Amino acid sequence: MAEALVFQILHKLGSIVATNAVQVLSSQLGKNVSILIQVESQIKQIEGELNVMHPFLYQVQRYGGYDATLQAWLQQVQNLAFQIEDIIDEYTYLVSGYQSGIRGFLKNTLHKSKNISSWHKVAMELKEIQIRLHNLSSMKDRYNIILSKEIDTSYSAQGLRDFTLSSYAMDYNELVGIREEREKIMQYLTTGEKLTTIISVWGMGGSGKTTLIHNIYESKVIKEHFDNRMWVSISQKYKIEDILIRMVKHVFNNNEGLENIESMCRTDLIELLRRNLQDKKYLIVLDDVWSRDVWIKLFTIFDENYSGGRVVITTRLKDVAELATESHNFELKNLHKSEEWALFCRWVFRNMLDKRCPEELEQWGRKIVSKCHGLPLAIVVAGNLLSFKRKNVAEWIKFYNEINWELHDSLDNQNLSSVMSVLNLSYNQLPSHLKNCFLFCSIFPEDFLISRKRLIRLWVAEDLVASKSTKTLEEVAEEYLNELIDRCLLQVVKRNDFGRVKSCQMHDLVRELAISISANENFYTAYNKSQVRIVNYNARRVASDEYSDSIHSSINFSHLRSFYLFDTAHFSLSSLSWFSRSVRYLRILDIQDAPISCLPNDIFNLFNLRYLGLKNTNVKQLSNSLGKLHRLQTLNLFHTAINKLPTTIVELKELRHLFAEKKLDANYRKFHALSGVEAPTRLWHLTDLQTLQSIEATMDLVRQIGNLTQLRSFRIRNVKSIHCYELFKSINKMQFLSNLDVFASDENEYINLEALSSLPQHLQKLSLHGRLVLASLLFQSLQVNLKWLVLRWCKLEKDPLRAISCMSGLTYLWLQRAYEGKELLFQSGWFPNLKRLYLIDMSWLEFILFEKSVQSLEELKLVGLTQLKEIPQGMNSLIFLQELYIWDLHPEFTRNIYSAEGRNKTKHIPLINHVYKNVEGWKVDNLAQDFEKVT
């Protein structure tokens, strides 16, 4: 319960100790430094106590088995941890004033009796914490609160596996949704390959891994093919000797001569297995493996076996699955809608020959299935329960209204509870640093697409990410994200052109699990005026899914650290004003899309604020009081009405991400599609900045912006030719820059690339908007790393493709008014990795040729090519093309694409979107569907 919270508190305490505040401030504090020495000494002692306590809490969380007494003790630990957090934030507030550089702070703070009292109050509270920690330790001994060494999750896990196998695999042999995987695995198992082969099947809990392999394991073909078969379920808390003993017993079916097996050492057990498997075809299934260590310890058994041995591993972890022989790695994903329905009907109507759902029940049956979101185990459980109920509409409506996968509501139903218990194993196995990150993801509403970048910045602002000396916090956070994905606790919805996660989502059942755990651990509360039962009065984080002013009486805002607004319908400036007056230690204020035009002054008194999200609001101006938010890390002003940043923004020394621009043209067909903001002088003093989008160029700024050596993403507008030399000279100092976007001041202004001999070696995305003279030598220096290239309003008279053809790594190419010639020739071998190609508003273009080039292309947009009449030659060679997008082309182009020849050239493209305008407005037709009707 308290383990992840204590881990986070330890992280905060460690950060405080690392600041060496006493040494830094001793010259300023004078004789009053003694109180700070006392406070820091107490903090170090508390840190030591929690460091000893944390391993015990981790064991409790991982292996469970605790009774009511232990539960009550854990609650006391959690309450104490929250109290420590309050003191930490108050300490940070008191110390930050000395480091802020505000004139007269010492005079107005330390030397006033009330502020001396504040320090003494902190010291007293820390003393109380020490006493309570001591009492908790004594209480643990007094009531004999221990984690029994005999508790082993293998029992509960085995029970869940038995449920899965008996109700899902053994009674039903015709698999749904995984028959293709079954055929391939059967082929790999029975091939004549003599070397030992490892096959892995992985996916989230309940996805059907064990079911699939058990079906194969019990098949007649497999039984006849192998001399020995053994199935070993691996508990989370395993002993390798126990696994070896079980394997030996499988080999010796009659158990003769095994009287002393329990006393044999690991080496003898391995040798016994090696001897008896050496010349035999064997199949070993290692079910539900949680660690690569299991295989490492067993590997020597199978080493140098040339008799055709096969090992199958089922797991929820990608890194374990990667133990498999190359190409023998199978990921099971959620079922498609037709597969969901088929599986559901086979269970509900299993005693009926046709297994068909009556027409009057289908509507409610499909609603019930939709709650399972493609997870086979959940569908089986729901179908199994319904199979025992009357087949009438009233009964099914009642079932739909009552079905609830939340852990705390399903414990009285063993079948429903088992679904959550299967998923809960994944949570219990998470290392400490990932648990709160996982729970945090359930803050977002159901089916919400979670942006990778937004999630990472929020994790950092929430202080959920531990620092590593060689990496930024954002880079560490991305590692966390990938680990949660590899553990099947988050699902990738979309990847960017570089293969990185762009957006992800929580499976609804996994989200329900996280919500249940969050409620138990007071991690956050979701405020919903129609579901008051889920509101925790003392919540530290609040996600408002349905805002109402009644929240004022439902939440104790004095404890609040984070506020996320997902429903803005009833949110107003008065709501924000009341809110900002009521909080003190707030770290996150994310009110994206809120209908507000200004910020109340009280917002700027939130000394602890790390993240201020104002995206898509109507805020017109920021007060100079912004400079008081010294701990701010992210300021998101995207698509607000702000045109100028306050001069005091340069005081935000911890600022890492600044977004300040507005989209002016949703279709991006005007030159000034985005507007930037006017930045104050000395903005270049914000040396922690990693993201800066987008600012207006001035000569002073372009000369000094090179001081921002930590920039990863930089967008600058209103660049004139006279700026270019100093600008690119500064950009060359940004060694970590991966995304550069340069807008000329107008469509006739030149971006002088002659001033640019090279670009940062990590650059992956380059966008140039303005007149150009292409420098092929420059692009040759980018041929390996650059993945994304946008050239807009370049107005080149010469075909630019040859100059950029050396960039073989490109996956995205956008050419808009980039070329004023009549022909574009994509020659053989060019752009082998290109996936998206946009050719836009090149009104002179009459002919396009794909000469065995862009062979990986998946998306092609042809927009505003008003002289293009013919379908590009070589289109039928683009065999991976998934979408063709055509808009504002010559009318003859549309006629040609509808012709028999045109249909033949494009018949392999599943989606051909034709955008056009008629009397009813803009319309989009899928021509591919029209072609199917014609044929």
Side-chain angles (χ1 to χ4, degrees):
M1 175 186 292
E3 180 264 326
L5 175 60
V6 169
F7 178 80
Q8 186 177 2
I9 297 299
L10 278 169
H11 173 58
K12 290 184 176 182
L13 289 171
S15 298
I16 284 179
V17 171
T19 59
N20 294 317
V22 174
Q23 295 180 16
V24 174
L25 304 178
S26 57
S27 62
Q28 300 178 42
L29 292 172
K31 64 180 181 179
N32 294 297
V33 75
S34 59
I35 186 64
L36 185 54
I37 293 173
Q38 179 185 339
V39 167
E40 289 214 335
S41 174
Q42 291 170 316
I43 287 174
K44 289 178 181 178
Q45 291 177 46
I46 292 170
E47 181 187 25
E49 287 274 358
L50 292 181
N51 268 317
V52 174
M53 182 184 290
H54 179 257
F56 174 77
L57 296 175
Y58 179 75
Q59 295 296 321
V60 170
Q61 177 70 61
R62 186 173 187 185
Y63 299 123
Y66 40 88
D67 56 17
T69 306
L70 178 52
Q71 180 88 13
W73 184 83
L74 290 171
Q75 184 65 56
Q76 293 294 316
V77 173
Q78 184 183 82
N79 293 340
L80 185 60
F82 281 134
Q83 187 178 346
I84 294 172
E85 183 179 45
D86 288 341
I87 298 173
I88 290 172
D89 285 338
E90 182 64 21
Y91 171 93
T92 303
Y93 167 66
L94 292 172
V95 170
S96 64
Y98 301 100
Q99 299 171 323
S100 65
I102 299 175
R103 182 178 297 177
F105 184 88
L106 291 176
K107 180 179 178 181
N108 295 323
T109 304
L110 187 63
H111 298 295
K112 287 186 178 180
S113 59
K114 66 177 183 179
N115 291 292
I116 296 174
S117 297
S118 295
W119 281 108
H120 283 287
K121 182 182 177 183
V122 168
M124 282 176 37
E125 289 175 342
L126 287 171
K127 184 65 176 177
E128 181 185 342
I129 293 292
Q130 289 177 293
I131 294 171
R132 289 183 62 188
L133 275 170
H134 178 75
N135 289 342
L136 280 171
S137 179
S138 301
M139 189 186 300
K140 183 169 168 285
D141 296 333
R142 186 162 60 250
Y143 293 103
N144 196 30
I145 298 174
I146 61 172
L147 181 64
S148 172
K149 294 181 179 179
E150 296 181 3
I151 292 173
D152 190 333
T153 54
S154 60
Y155 297 117
S156 59
Q158 185 63 49
L160 292 170
R161 278 191 287 269
D162 290 343
F163 163 77
T164 307
L165 291 174
S166 63
S167 63
Y168 186 14
M170 298 177 72
D171 292 341
Y172 177 58
N173 293 319
E174 186 180 351
L175 303 176
V176 175
I178 45 180
R179 282 177 286 182
E180 183 178 342
E181 288 84 354
R182 184 185 189 276
E183 291 175 7
K184 288 183 179 179
I185 293 172
M186 288 286 286
Q187 179 183 348
Y188 290 148
L189 289 175
T190 56
T191 186
E193 173 63 50
K194 294 296 184 182
L195 288 173
T196 299
T197 301
I198 308 169
I199 300 165
S200 66
V201 180
W202 69 290
M204 70 181 290
S207 60
K209 306 179 293 294
T210 300
T211 299
L212 169 62
I213 298 306
H214 196 269
N215 181 274
I216 293 171
Y217 185 82
E218 294 294 337
S219 68
K220 183 180 179 182
V221 172
I222 293 299
K223 288 180 178 179
E224 292 177 350
H225 183 80
F226 291 100
D227 303 318
N228 281 103
R229 294 177 309 126
M230 58 188 82
W231 183 290
V232 184
S233 296
I234 312 294
S235 68
Q236 295 177 63
K237 186 181 178 183
Y238 71 89
K239 289 184 179 179
I240 198 67
E241 288 79 9
D242 293 341
I243 294 173
L244 292 169
I245 289 170
R246 278 184 278 162
M247 293 174 70
V248 170
K249 288 180 177 179
H250 269 291
V251 173
F252 297 92
N253 290 324
N254 57 11
N255 289 335
E256 291 181 6
L258 299 179
E259 294 83 1
N260 300 321
I261 188 173
E262 303 291 342
S263 61
M264 292 177 68
C265 67
R266 183 189 304 186
T267 305
D268 291 341
L269 288 167
I270 289 175
E271 185 56 34
L272 183 60
L273 282 168
R274 282 175 61 90
R275 286 201 311 268
N276 284 276
L277 294 176
Q278 192 166 12
D279 300 319
K280 296 178 181 178
K281 288 183 180 179
Y282 60 81
L283 169 62
I284 299 175
V285 176
L286 302 177
D287 184 40
D288 209 11
V289 178
W290 290 88
S291 168
R292 294 171 68 98
D293 291 345
V294 176
W295 175 250
I296 292 170
K297 292 171 182 176
L298 295 176
F299 176 75
T300 54
I301 299 173
F302 317 108
D303 192 24
E304 299 180 0
N305 186 295
Y306 296 96
S307 58
R310 301 289 183 266
V311 179
V312 178
I313 296 172
T314 71
T315 181
R316 306 182 194 195
L317 309 180
K318 184 180 180 181
D319 72 319
V320 174
E322 289 173 345
L323 291 168
T325 305
E326 187 177 359
S327 78
H328 288 41
N329 182 329
F330 295 87
E331 181 184 5
L332 298 191
K333 298 185 178 180
N334 295 339
L335 300 178
H336 298 298
K337 289 190 179 299
S338 60
E339 297 167 341
E340 289 179 302
W341 184 245
L343 181 60
F344 176 74
C345 289
R346 290 183 184 279
W347 274 89
V348 180
F349 308 107
R350 57 187 171 184
N351 296 322
M352 300 170 59
L353 288 177
D354 60 1
K355 295 180 175 56
R356 290 173 62 91
C357 179
E359 187 175 341
E360 67 274 14
L361 295 177
E362 183 169 343
Q363 174 188 354
W364 290 101
R366 290 191 181 276
K367 285 186 176 183
I368 291 166
V369 170
S370 71
K371 283 199 170 188
C372 302
H373 291 269
L375 188 67
L377 179 60
I379 296 169
V380 169
V381 168
N384 185 53
L385 289 172
L386 270 177
S387 69
F388 296 103
K389 296 183 179 293
R390 292 189 298 273
K391 307 298 188 291
N392 62 58
V393 173
E395 190 75 18
W396 281 37
I397 291 176
K398 181 182 178 183
F399 183 84
Y400 173 77
N401 290 330
E402 291 179 351
I403 189 172
N404 194 331
W405 300 104
E406 291 189 29
L407 194 60
H408 60 270
D409 284 339
S410 58
L411 290 176
D412 59 339
N413 185 312
Q414 188 57 44
N415 285 335
L416 289 180
S417 175
S418 65
V419 177
M420 280 303 179
S421 297
V422 166
L423 298 177
N424 193 48
L425 293 175
S426 295
Y427 174 76
N428 288 339
Q429 275 293 299
L430 285 175
S432 299
H433 65 273
L434 288 182
K435 283 181 176 169
N436 282 339
C437 291
F438 166 71
L439 296 181
F440 180 87
C441 295
S442 64
I443 280 178
F444 298 97
E446 184 176 354
D447 299 327
F448 192 91
L449 289 184
I450 307 171
S451 159
R452 179 194 88 238
K453 293 181 179 179
R454 182 183 184 185
L455 181 62
I456 283 173
R457 289 192 289 267
L458 287 171
W459 276 351
V460 171
E462 286 275 8
D463 212 10
L464 301 180
V465 182
S467 60
K468 291 185 179 180
S469 58
T470 59
K471 296 182 178 179
T472 66
L473 290 172
E474 287 78 6
E475 289 168 340
V476 176
E478 186 164 357
E479 291 178 357
Y480 289 5
L481 175 62
N482 289 329
E483 193 168 351
L484 287 175
I485 290 168
D486 290 347
R487 290 171 177 268
C488 301
L489 290 172
L490 285 176
Q491 299 174 327
V492 177
V493 176
K494 190 172 183 180
R495 293 187 181 273
N496 65 17
D497 297 287
F498 314 149
R500 293 171 71 185
V501 176
K502 186 170 185 176
S503 60
C504 57
Q505 206 170 40
M506 260 191 156
H507 188 286
D508 275 19
L509 298 186
V510 175
R511 181 173 177 270
E512 292 291 355
L513 170 70
I515 289 172
S516 296
I517 296 171
S518 293
N520 289 333
E521 300 194 1
N522 294 325
F523 181 78
Y524 85 95
T525 191
Y527 176 81
N528 187 318
K529 65 182 180 183
S530 61
Q531 294 182 329
V532 180
R533 65 177 180 83
I534 62 176
V535 176
N536 177 0
Y537 181 71
N538 291 313
R540 299 268 160 161
R541 299 176 180 88
V542 169
S544 178
D545 297 334
E546 189 179 4
Y547 187 83
S548 165
D549 283 339
S550 63
I551 193 175
H552 302 169
S553 58
S554 303
I555 303 292
N556 180 359
F557 281 85
S558 65
H559 291 301
L560 195 66
R561 294 303 194 279
S562 306
F563 181 74
Y564 300 90
L565 182 67
F566 295 109
D567 167 50
T568 62
H570 302 289
F571 191 82
S572 64
L573 181 59
S574 61
S575 305
L576 183 58
S577 296
W578 181 92
F579 174 84
S580 58
R581 289 194 304 269
S582 306
V583 295
R584 175 172 173 81
Y585 299 120
L586 197 72
R587 301 170 64 93
I588 313 286
L589 179 59
D590 195 352
I591 51 174
Q592 178 174 317
D593 300 311
I596 58 173
S597 57
C598 63
L599 292 178
N601 285 330
D602 287 318
I603 289 291
F604 304 109
N605 293 326
L606 300 176
F607 75 93
N608 204 32
L609 199 65
R610 311 293 181 83
Y611 186 105
L612 181 56
L614 302 175
K615 181 179 179 180
N616 294 334
T617 65
N618 298 317
V619 174
K620 298 180 175 62
Q621 186 177 3
L622 288 179
S623 162
N624 269 324
S625 298
L626 178 71
K628 294 161 65 176
L629 303 179
H630 294 287
R631 308 201 74 188
L632 198 64
Q633 296 176 349
T634 296
L635 178 59
N636 193 342
L637 306 175
F638 182 79
H639 221 289
T640 64
I642 293 171
N643 298 315
K644 184 177 181 179
L645 297 173
T647 57
T648 55
I649 195 171
V650 300
E651 296 175 18
L652 308 184
K653 301 301 184 183
E654 296 185 24
L655 196 64
R656 306 165 76 87
H657 306 283
L658 174 58
F659 301 90
E661 62 189 11
K662 187 172 184 178
K663 188 178 290 185
L664 303 176
D665 176 21
N667 295 318
Y668 219 64
R669 294 187 69 180
K670 297 177 181 178
F671 180 78
H672 293 293
L674 296 172
S675 68
V677 293
E678 183 181 336
T681 57
R682 298 189 298 120
L683 184 73
W684 47 86
H685 289 185
L686 302 180
T687 54
D688 279 351
L689 271 180
Q690 296 180 27
T691 308
L692 181 55
Q693 300 177 188
S694 69
I695 57 172
E696 302 287 337
T698 66
M699 187 56 77
D700 278 347
L701 187 139
V702 299
R703 283 174 177 160
Q704 301 294 335
I705 203 72
N707 290 327
L708 304 184
T709 57
Q710 296 301 308
L711 273 183
R712 268 69 176 171
S713 181
F714 179 40
R715 181 173 294 158
I716 185 168
R717 297 182 44 78
N718 200 32
V719 174
K720 295 180 170 59
S721 182
I722 57 172
H723 294 146
C724 289
Y725 178 80
E726 296 291 348
L727 174 64
F728 291 126
K729 181 180 176 183
S730 293
I731 286 172
N732 276 323
K733 298 176 183 177
M734 303 174 186
Q735 57 178 323
F736 300 110
L737 194 68
S738 64
N739 179 19
L740 174 62
D741 210 337
V742 180
F743 283 80
S745 57
D746 60 62
E747 59 186 82
N748 294 312
E749 186 74 48
Y750 273 88
I751 298 175
N752 184 5
L753 294 181
E754 292 180 2
L756 184 61
S757 58
S758 64
L759 280 167
Q761 60 177 343
H762 296 292
L763 195 71
Q764 291 187 312
K765 298 175 68 172
L766 175 63
S767 300
L768 301 173
H769 313 255
R771 300 290 297 269
L772 288 180
V773 176
L774 281 186
S776 58
L777 291 178
L778 167 66
F779 290 113
Q780 285 177 10
S781 70
L782 297 170
Q783 60 183 304
V784 176
N785 292 328
L786 204 68
K787 307 294 183 185
W788 172 299
L789 179 63
V790 174
L791 300 176
R792 296 178 69 241
W793 263 264
C794 304
K795 299 183 181 180
L796 297 166
E797 296 180 359
K798 186 178 179 181
D799 184 345
L801 294 180
R802 181 171 296 278
I804 63 175
S805 63
C806 57
M807 292 185 285
S808 58
L810 275 186
T811 60
Y812 179 103
L813 177 60
W814 176 311
L815 301 178
Q816 181 176 7
R817 296 203 180 184
Y819 172 51
E820 296 185 338
K822 295 183 178 181
E823 297 182 347
L824 271 181
L825 308 178
F826 291 83
Q827 294 187 22
S828 179
W830 285 3
F831 312 113
N833 296 299
L834 198 66
K835 296 186 182 301
R836 291 197 285 163
L837 173 62
Y838 297 172
L839 305 176
I840 301 172
D841 292 334
M842 291 184 279
S843 57
W844 296 87
L845 195 61
E846 297 177 358
F847 178 78
I848 301 173
L849 169 66
F850 297 111
E851 185 186 80
K852 293 183 180 180
S853 58
V854 296
Q855 293 294 289
S856 298
L857 199 65
E858 297 175 359
E859 181 184 1
L860 174 62
K861 285 190 178 184
L862 306 175
V863 179
L865 310 181
T866 53
Q867 295 303 311
L868 186 67
K869 302 176 183 178
E870 299 292 333
I871 298 171
Q873 287 193 21
M875 180 80 81
N876 51 0
S877 70
L878 307 179
I879 58 175
F880 295 108
L881 193 62
Q882 298 297 305
E883 180 178 359
L884 172 62
Y885 183 97
I886 56 177
W887 177 19
D888 194 15
L889 302 185
H890 196 285
E892 195 169 329
F893 184 96
T894 307
R895 289 194 291 271
N896 282 328
I897 206 169
Y898 266 107
S899 69
E901 182 182 359
R903 293 200 303 271
N904 185 56
K905 288 182 177 180
T906 59
K907 63 183 179 182
H908 61 292
I909 308 173
L911 187 62
I912 305 175
N913 280 327
H914 178 210
V915 181
Y916 62 97
K917 192 174 186 179
N918 60 17
V919 292
E920 299 175 356
W922 289 102
K923 293 192 65 177
V924 180
D925 287 345
N926 182 3
L927 302 187
Q929 292 180 347
D930 295 342
F931 296 164
E932 288 180 7
K933 295 175 183 177
V934 172
T935 55

